[in-house]
Amino acid sequence: MRQFFTVGLNGLTLAGLYFLVASGLTLIFGLMRIVNLAHGTLYLLGGYVAWTVIRATDSFMLGALVAALLIGVVGLVLHQGLLRTIERDDMRVALVTIGVSLIGADQMLAYFGGVAHSIPTPEPLRTAVPVPLLGINYPAYRLTIVGIAVAVGIGLWLLLSRTRFGMIVRAGVDDREMVSASGINIRLVFVAVFLLGAALAGLSGAIGGAAFSLAPGVDMQFLLFSLVVIIVGGMGSVGGAALGAVLVAMVSNYALAYASSFAAVLVFGLMITVLAVRPQGILGKVAV
């Protein structure tokens, strides 16, 4: 039972990280309908940026902040420089972002090498804390990831559902021309959304780099799982991304613990089952 609960906590903390990565992709892919296949590259680059800053300053907060801001700017350049004129052509966007992903992976391999790097966790979070009722001690940093994910999820939900900015974004997704005709610069709004999504990827890289390693191939791994998360949860839904992250992470962790040979089969089986029963995802909306 102790192992069972530990695996469950591992799944919950992994779900928090999956949600942080997928929340940025939910904004870019789910809301804006831009198939950004370089999202995993932004995650890994954010981790490397944070690792570099933390080595120089010994400040985790500064590293995470710089990673979020710098990757947000990189996302802005990507959107305005390469995707702005073709953003409605899904095939071209997919091909361009795949190219960016491959180039970025090669450049990071050349600069940071093929050796795995790990970001040191903040000093106060290097301890294990007792978990009530379960009788186990669990790393404080991993529990902090869950808290950060909850805070980000609530913040995004409030931004999209309780603010004028969120109302404009949702209206622009449904009818961009009508929103533009009302005098709103919808293109500028979508630029802000893309920047926010990329910044979340950079922040996730800093947070994930302290829990897991930063190495070549991690970018594709997190891109793949982020896509599965938003497909299972429902495109464009922050709540769906959270639910999808929990389901995918729990299935993955318990499968690795008790049926490791079938872990990938069970994760993608979950996605196939959801698509067969509810093609728009668990909390997704039916396209009109």
Side-chain angles (χ1 to χ4, degrees):
M1 290 301 295
R2 182 170 295 181
Q3 179 187 2
F4 181 84
F5 287 128
T6 301
V7 172
L9 283 174
N10 288 339
L12 190 62
T13 56
L14 182 60
L17 183 57
Y18 280 168
F19 171 74
L20 288 174
V21 183
S23 61
L25 192 58
T26 294
L27 296 175
I28 296 171
F29 183 27
L31 283 177
M32 298 175 62
R33 299 297 190 265
I34 296 179
V35 190
N36 180 24
L37 298 182
H39 196 74
T41 300
L42 298 179
Y43 166 86
L44 184 57
L45 181 58
Y48 280 135
V49 169
W51 176 75
T52 303
V53 173
I54 292 169
R55 283 188 64 194
T57 64
D58 198 29
S59 172
F60 184 88
M61 292 292 292
L62 180 61
L65 179 61
V66 171
L69 293 177
L70 183 59
I71 301 305
V73 172
V74 171
L76 180 62
V77 173
L78 172 64
H79 180 259
Q80 290 297 293
L82 297 177
L83 305 181
R84 182 171 60 87
T85 58
I86 61 170
E87 62 183 19
R88 296 196 182 187
D89 189 331
D90 292 344
M91 182 59 70
R92 288 187 179 182
V93 170
L95 291 174
V96 168
T97 53
I98 287 175
V100 171
S101 178
L102 294 175
I103 294 172
D106 283 344
Q107 293 303 307
M108 286 187 286
L109 176 61
Y111 188 82
F112 296 102
V115 180
H117 300 287
S118 182
I119 296 175
T121 58
E123 186 67 35
L125 300 178
R126 294 178 186 175
T127 61
V129 296
V131 180
L133 304 179
L134 301 185
I136 60 176
N137 293 327
Y138 200 74
Y141 180 75
R142 284 180 170 260
L143 295 176
T144 304
I145 293 177
V146 179
I148 295 173
V150 171
V152 169
I154 293 174
L156 287 178
W157 178 77
L158 290 174
L159 176 67
L160 295 175
S161 63
R162 293 292 186 270
T163 65
R164 184 173 183 272
F165 177 82
M167 179 185 67
I168 293 172
V169 171
R170 288 182 283 112
V173 170
D174 294 333
D175 195 334
R176 183 177 303 193
E177 288 73 19
M178 183 62 71
V179 174
S180 298
S182 65
I184 297 173
N185 190 343
I186 190 63
R187 183 169 295 280
L188 183 61
V189 172
F190 277 179
V191 166
V193 172
F194 200 100
L195 188 150
L196 176 59
L200 285 171
L203 176 64
S204 303
I207 294 171
F212 305 95
S213 61
L214 300 169
V218 170
D219 49 346
M220 296 306 298
Q221 174 189 343
F222 274 92
L223 171 64
L224 180 61
F225 277 103
S226 297
L227 289 171
V228 174
V229 164
I230 63 175
I231 289 172
V232 169
M235 287 177 49
S237 170
V238 175
L243 179 58
V246 171
L247 290 175
V248 170
M250 286 297 187
V251 169
S252 175
N253 263 40
Y254 278 111
L256 286 173
Y258 298 106
S260 58
S261 300
F262 301 97
V265 174
L266 292 175
V267 170
F268 288 99
L270 169 67
M271 182 184 72
I272 293 170
T273 302
V274 170
L275 288 176
V277 176
R278 191 173 172 82
Q280 69 272 25
I282 297 175
L283 298 181
K285 295 181 180 180
V286 179
V288 179

